[in-house]
Amino acid sequence: MTHGRRANSHTPRPDGAGPRDTAARYALLPLRIFLGVTFVYAGLDKLTDSAFLKDSGAGSIGDMMRAVRDSSAIPALVDMALESPVGFGYAIAFGELAVGIGTLIGLLTRIAALGGALISLSLWLTVSWAAEPYYYGNDLPYLMAWTPLILAGAPLLSVDAALRARRRRGTF
């Protein structure tokens, strides 16, 4: 039986400019763009939907919250939202906008991602908790998608990276 020596299939270049290194550096960018665009769209959609930001009626935040109350994991969270459904609707919409914009431009990215994860978690525990099987609800995958951005932030093509570079150069 012969034993061959396996060559390392990936030898990083000293300048970090190899194809794998480049791909690794940009790996989070598609996720950042997707989540940012999706949350900006979701926030704008809520703010421009005349039916959504109402206490009651077809398509309203109030009726939706009342419909999911008994099937949610935390009914008390839904009860809190039902104290002021229109205010809660605005908070969610503006929260989604802030998270989406912060994620897209890479400003306070880890904090924006944490906000996105908290919004996704609250929606999973209330609105999509009863989805069966669990993977039919989309809020849990969104929650998981925010995790890499919480951990890594936006190291490239971001305001955060530009500010870091300025601090290193001492021009800030």
Side-chain angles (χ1 to χ4, degrees), residues 55-57 60-70 78 82 85:
D55 182 39
S56 61
S60 70
I61 181 72
D63 280 2
M64 181 185 68
M65 296 307 288
R66 282 186 280 281
V68 300
R69 189 214 177 272
D70 293 334
V78 178
L82 282 170

Side-chain angles (χ1 to χ4, degrees), residues 10-76:
H10 174 60
T11 306
R13 291 174 44 174
D15 62 0
R20 282 188 174 179
D21 296 316
T22 300
R25 284 195 342 258
Y26 288 91
L28 291 178
L29 192 57
L31 181 62
R32 209 175 103 205
I33 292 168
F34 171 75
L35 290 171
V37 167
T38 300
F39 269 58
V40 166
Y41 178 79
L44 290 175
D45 189 45
K46 287 173 180 63
L47 290 172
T48 58
D49 182 352
S50 60
F52 180 77
L53 293 170
K54 295 201 172 168
D55 182 39
S56 61
S60 70
I61 181 72
D63 280 2
M64 181 185 68
M65 296 307 288
R66 282 186 280 281
V68 300
R69 189 214 177 272
D70 293 334
S71 63
S72 72
I74 307 175

Side-chain angles (χ1 to χ4, degrees), residues 69-149:
R69 189 214 177 272
D70 293 334
S71 63
S72 72
I74 307 175
L77 190 60
V78 178
D79 289 338
M80 189 171 64
L82 282 170
E83 288 178 21
S84 177
V86 175
F88 179 73
Y90 275 109
I92 289 291
F94 284 120
E96 287 172 337
L97 264 177
V99 163
I101 291 168
T103 302
L104 278 176
I105 67 172
L107 178 62
L108 302 173
T109 309
R110 286 187 169 121
I111 294 170
L114 180 60
L118 290 174
I119 290 170
S120 298
L121 176 64
S122 68
L123 292 174
W124 176 54
L125 292 173
T126 56
V127 178
S128 62
W129 179 257
E132 210 172 291
Y134 75 93
Y135 52 82
Y136 279 175
N138 64 351
D139 297 309
L140 183 58
Y142 277 105
L143 173 61
M144 294 299 109
W146 285 111
T147 304
L149 293 176

